[in-house]
Amino acid sequence: MSGGDMAKPLLGHGSTEGDCSPPAPAGRPVGVLGSGDFARSLALRLVCSGLKVVVGSRNPKRKASLFPAAAEVTFQAEAVKKADVIFVAIFREHYSTLCDLADVLVGKILVDVSNNTEINHHKESNAEYLASLFPACTVVKGFNVVSAWTLQSGARDGNKQVLICSNNQEAKRTVAEIAQVMGFTPVDMGCMSSAREIENIPLRLLPAWKIPIFLALGLFLCFFTYNLIRQVIHPYIKEQKIKLYKIPIEVVNTTLPCVSYVMLSLVYLPGVLAACSQLYYGTKYRRFPDWLDQWLQHRKQIGLLSFFCAALHAVYSLCLPMRRSHRYLLIETAVKQAVEKKMTVWVEEEVWRMEIYISVGIIALGLLSLLAITSLPSIANSLNWREFSFIQSSLGFVALVVSTLHTLTYGWSRAFDENQYKFYLPPTYTLTLLVPCTVIIAKVIFSLPCIQHRLLRIRRGWEKGRYVKFVLPSATGEFSSGETSSNV
């Protein structure tokens, strides 16, 4: 890539100079050691935040064109002399090249922004290794969870949090102030021993999604196998009909709504279990079991996967008439009707069932879309707590009820047709109704005034069996405990 191309920012169409109009810089410059993509993005963001920036490079003349014109690009030794806070934007393998600057670095604050290629790749963190090389410096770990893209586009895109750790409180405070000036939110992670964990964070692939994804895959495999037995294996054994062509579209399309429906109910089931626990023990201060606590924390991911499966189900359903097998069956049915001289095949009940089924399904998908959109951080941050709670809790429960109606209209009276029980196995949709109906019934019970009032009191601090009796000082001269009134 040419120097001219490298000089262009990751975002925007103008030159590097025109991307921002920083206020007049004040104070001593902030140093940046390194000339890679991250160093260039960091220097640009610092300049746009109104800070003086001096960049240290081994080839300043060659690298100067890669940085904003407002940033001074010089040799590493000169840059270190001019700055008190220095961002070390080089790889761990190159830390030793800075040893010649040890005398000049005495008393400086070094901000280590590096990451490893593997989790726990080294026995010690990069920041601890840097501190061991330069014991006369104060090392702060930070900015490693921020990408070059986020630095280029500013804190409006990506994660705004900057995780910081160090053994020196004053150094952490200085780096935190720089992060705030840049538009980020500094998070104090404690002493330098936390650097190892901070460096592992960018290397983890969707840590909060593992359990929900495995749950969705497990449900998909279970329902897919169940539908495969009913729709493919049963016709082959009983009627010697080969219907393997149903596997790619029809079997998958029958499986997806089952997974989506059950996953949606699993979003609200832990809340029901938590409410039952609070009612049983009469307090909100008793810790939930670890499995329930983890379940509550993964509700967002479970809900988004539910929406994903529902969206796929809608797309698959629209593609059903496009299949060649569907056209052949349609022609075959038309020929059969012509042979039998049937003038009409209109069934009023089936017409109404399909109209209601499709309409309710569209409403359910719309509600799921609303839930998915409002769970995004950029949208959720624009809502107050009452609005967010209303959408995610109230409208979410409405979505579950509408999805249940969608399932019931799909089944209609077929649950009572013995021909629907292949190998004595009930239709798939009847199995999916178990958990959602349990959640709906529990929600209705909790809405009863007597239970709702008690649950509300518990969540506002009331505890069963915890009482205190207040006696006026004029009567006894002191307070005494008893068991006649509740302590809230």
Side-chain angles (χ1 to χ4, degrees):
M1 185 178 291
S2 64
D5 292 336
M6 286 293 292
K8 297 179 181 179
L10 297 177
L11 292 179
H13 305 285
S15 63
T16 308
E17 302 176 42
D19 279 350
C20 57
S21 300
R28 286 179 62 81
V30 176
V32 178
L33 295 181
S35 53
D37 291 340
F38 191 89
R40 176 166 58 95
S41 302
L42 180 61
L44 176 62
R45 183 48 46 195
L46 288 167
V47 168
C48 291
S49 301
L51 298 172
K52 292 181 181 178
V53 179
V54 56
V55 179
S57 174
R58 289 174 293 181
N59 300 296
K61 291 184 179 180
R62 180 183 176 187
K63 304 294 184 181
S65 60
L66 305 180
F67 291 88
E72 179 185 356
V73 183
T74 182
F75 289 100
Q76 292 180 341
E78 293 297 323
V80 169
K81 292 178 182 179
K82 295 181 179 181
D84 293 329
V85 179
I86 303 168
F87 287 86
V88 182
I90 62 178
F91 292 107
R92 176 191 176 111
E93 295 77 15
H94 300 156
Y95 286 172
S96 58
T97 62
L98 302 177
C99 290
D100 295 338
L101 307 174
D103 294 337
V104 190
L105 287 171
V106 173
K108 306 289 185 178
I109 298 176
L110 303 182
V111 184
D112 177 45
V113 300
S114 65
N115 283 314
N116 291 314
T117 55
E118 299 177 9
I119 294 178
N120 298 327
H121 187 56
H122 302 283
K123 293 182 179 180
E124 60 182 353
S125 66
N126 294 348
E128 291 172 321
Y129 175 62
L130 183 63
S132 67
L133 293 178
F134 303 98
C137 300
T138 302
V139 177
V140 178
K141 185 69 188 183
F143 285 87
N144 66 302
V145 297
V146 180
S147 65
W149 176 273
T150 302
L151 289 170
Q152 283 272 351
S153 60
R156 62 182 178 273
D157 285 345
N159 195 338
K160 292 185 178 182
Q161 290 187 343
V162 173
L163 308 184
I164 298 173
C165 74
S166 176
N167 292 332
N168 188 295
Q169 291 293 334
E170 187 62 32
K172 279 195 295 187
R173 188 179 300 109
T174 301
V175 176
E177 290 174 357
I178 295 176
Q180 288 179 329
V181 171
M182 296 171 67
F184 296 101
T185 304
V187 178
D188 189 350
M189 299 296 289
C191 59
M192 186 60 71
S193 59
S194 302
R196 189 179 181 87
E197 177 62 23
I198 294 177
E199 291 174 3
N200 287 336
I201 290 176
L203 301 177
R204 294 195 177 102
L205 180 62
L206 302 174
W209 287 83
K210 288 184 179 179
I211 295 177
I213 288 176
F214 281 122
L215 176 63
L217 289 177
L219 287 172
F220 184 87
L221 289 176
C222 290
F223 284 118
F224 182 85
T225 304
Y226 192 87
N227 290 324
L228 184 68
I229 294 172
R230 286 177 46 83
Q231 300 181 31
V232 178
I233 297 178
H234 180 271
Y236 178 74
I237 293 178
K238 294 294 184 180
E239 305 172 12
Q240 285 71 50
K241 293 182 179 179
I242 300 177
K243 296 191 175 183
L244 294 175
Y245 67 88
K246 289 188 173 183
I247 295 177
I249 301 294
E250 193 167 335
V251 176
V252 173
N253 190 44
T254 309
T255 303
L256 286 172
C258 299
V259 177
S260 175
Y261 185 37
V262 174
M263 292 282 284
L264 180 61
S265 65
L266 293 179
V267 173
Y268 298 97
L269 181 57
V272 171
L273 298 177
C276 291
S277 175
Q278 291 175 344
L279 287 171
Y280 179 78
Y281 292 106
T283 179
K284 71 172 185 177
Y285 300 108
R286 183 183 178 90
R287 182 178 176 85
F288 296 134
D290 290 338
W291 60 268
L292 181 56
D293 190 54
Q294 289 291 323
W295 194 350
L296 289 167
Q297 294 178 22
H298 288 96
R299 288 181 296 178
K300 172 184 174 180
Q301 290 79 11
I302 295 174
L304 289 174
L305 288 175
S306 171
F307 167 71
F308 175 72
C309 292
L312 285 181
H313 170 55
V315 174
Y316 269 83
S317 298
L318 291 175
C319 294
L320 288 177
M322 303 179 187
R323 298 176 304 154
R324 183 67 62 179
S325 59
H326 177 80
R327 298 180 185 180
Y328 287 156
L329 290 174
L330 192 63
I331 295 173
E332 183 180 336
T333 303
V335 171
K336 186 182 296 184
Q337 292 173 1
V339 171
E340 297 176 357
K341 298 182 178 180
K342 288 185 178 180
M343 300 302 297
T344 179
V345 291
W346 184 278
V347 180
E348 190 74 19
E349 181 181 346
E350 281 297 302
V351 170
W352 275 102
R353 182 183 72 84
M354 287 303 298
E355 295 292 324
I356 297 174
Y357 164 70
I358 295 175
S359 178
V360 174
I362 294 173
I363 296 173
L365 182 60
L367 290 173
L368 285 177
S369 304
L370 181 61
L371 294 175
I373 292 173
T374 53
S375 67
L376 300 176
S378 58
I379 304 299
N381 292 338
S382 65
L383 303 174
N384 60 41
W385 172 246
R386 185 174 183 181
E387 293 169 341
F388 182 80
S389 177
F390 171 76
I391 294 175
Q392 293 293 325
S393 181
S394 301
L395 289 186
F397 179 68
V398 172
L400 182 61
V401 173
V402 174
S403 300
T404 302
L405 294 177
H406 178 64
T407 305
L408 291 174
T409 51
Y410 171 79
W412 207 251
S413 60
R414 288 185 293 176
F416 308 103
D417 184 2
E418 61 180 11
N419 295 325
Q420 296 295 322
Y421 289 78
K422 311 294 178 63
F423 292 135
Y424 301 101
L425 297 176
T428 314
Y429 70 89
T430 59
L431 301 180
T432 63
L433 288 167
L434 296 176
V435 178
C437 288
T438 301
V439 174
I440 293 173
I441 293 172
K443 287 279 191 179
V444 172
I445 294 175
F446 290 155
S447 64
L448 297 177
C450 55
I451 298 180
Q452 186 181 35
H453 178 67
R454 182 179 179 85
L455 192 59
L456 181 61
R457 290 181 63 195
I458 291 174
R459 290 175 176 174
R460 297 181 68 177
W462 178 85
E463 292 185 84
K464 180 176 66 176
R466 295 289 300 275
Y467 303 98
V468 62
K469 178 181 180 180
F470 294 101
V471 182
L472 293 176
S474 58
T476 61
E478 59 181 1
F479 294 105
S480 61
S481 61
E483 296 185 354
T484 58
S485 59
S486 65
N487 175 27
V488 179

